């Protein structure tokens, strides 16, 4: 399993070992969240430093920084198809990042309170987000409808 820590690190653990088997060091503030890729070869982390980092498990090195949040990142998830990273921040925003590039694909707005969970469908076509506002929203990652006037994306209605 992977853990996030206030000591600015994320660590990979084996349940049978009291010490971490791998540490990822590079964030400048608390690491608030961490998640494995579905192939287990990468870890993604989110931090109070407002960044998301992608780490290679084979060598422990950071592969890419993703910057663009205006507040602390509190939730991250890698899509099963390894095309996207979704990250949520303390301002109730979600950013969908292109995994191979350091660019964002979409900014998702709609929650009115802290986003506490993110999850992709097994085919990566839907992103679910849960929030302390009491809502769960589904976002269609393949055809995110855009409000061109504000450049904001709106959730799929359920």
């Amino acid at each position: 399993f992977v853990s996030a820590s206030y000591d600015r690190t994320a660590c990979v653990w084996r349940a049978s070992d009291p010490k971490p088997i791998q540490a990822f060091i590079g964030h400048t503030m608390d690491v608030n969240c961490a998640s494995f890729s579905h192939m287990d070869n990468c870890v993604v982390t989110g931090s109070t430093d407002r960044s998301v980092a992608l780490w290679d498990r084979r060598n422990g090195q950071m592969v890419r920084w993703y910057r663009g949040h205006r507040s602390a990142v509190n939730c991250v998830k890698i899509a099963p198809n390894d095309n996207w990273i979704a990250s949520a921040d303390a301002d109730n925003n979600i950013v969908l990042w292109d995994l191979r590039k350091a660019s964002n694909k979409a900014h998702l707005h709609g929650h009115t309170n802290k986003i506490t969970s993110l999850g992709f469908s097994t085919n990566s076509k839907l992103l679910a987000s849960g929030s302390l506002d009491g809502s769960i929203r589904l976002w269609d990652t393949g055809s995110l409808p855009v409000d061109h006037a504000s450049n904001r994306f709106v959730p799929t209605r359920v």
Side-chain angles (χ1 to χ4, degrees):
F1 61 94
V2 63
S3 66
S5 178
Y6 293 134
D7 69 1
R8 304 177 186 174
T9 68
C11 293
V12 175
W13 303 79
R14 220 181 261 123
S16 60
D17 195 341
K19 295 183 181 183
I21 59 173
Q22 191 169 32
F24 303 104
I25 302 167
H27 283 288
T28 59
M29 299 179 83
D30 302 346
V31 177
N32 301 320
C33 49
S35 181
F36 283 113
S37 67
H38 282 67
M39 299 297 288
D40 262 358
N41 58 344
C42 292
V43 168
V44 63
T45 56
S47 171
T48 302
D49 66 15
R50 303 179 307 197
S51 72
V52 173
L54 180 67
W55 307 88
D56 188 329
R57 288 227 26 230
R58 294 168 293 197
N59 60 20
Q61 298 297 307
M62 186 187 328
V63 175
R64 193 165 276 125
W65 279 113
Y66 299 87
R67 298 184 188 274
H69 283 283
R70 295 184 182 160
S71 61
V73 177
N74 54 29
C75 202
V76 291
K77 189 61 90 173
I78 300 176
N81 65 6
D82 287 336
N83 286 341
W84 304 299
I85 295 172
S87 56
D89 64 32
D91 290 334
N92 317 323
N93 300 307
I94 301 167
V95 178
L96 191 62
W97 304 93
D98 185 315
L99 191 94
R100 291 172 239 88
K101 304 173 187 173
S103 62
N104 56 50
K105 174 182 167 74
H107 290 265
L108 310 174
H109 307 278
H111 287 292
T112 59
N113 204 332
K114 182 180 179 179
I115 297 161
T116 57
S117 59
L118 295 169
F120 283 95
S121 61
T122 56
N123 64 6
S124 301
K125 291 184 178 182
L126 292 175
L127 170 67
S129 56
S131 169
L132 292 179
D133 65 12
S135 71
I136 297 171
R137 295 181 181 261
L138 291 177
W139 310 86
D140 182 340
T141 60
S143 59
L144 290 166
V146 65
D147 170 1
H148 293 285
S150 66
N151 198 28
R152 291 184 173 206
F153 294 85
V154 294
T156 301
R157 296 191 188 262
V158 180

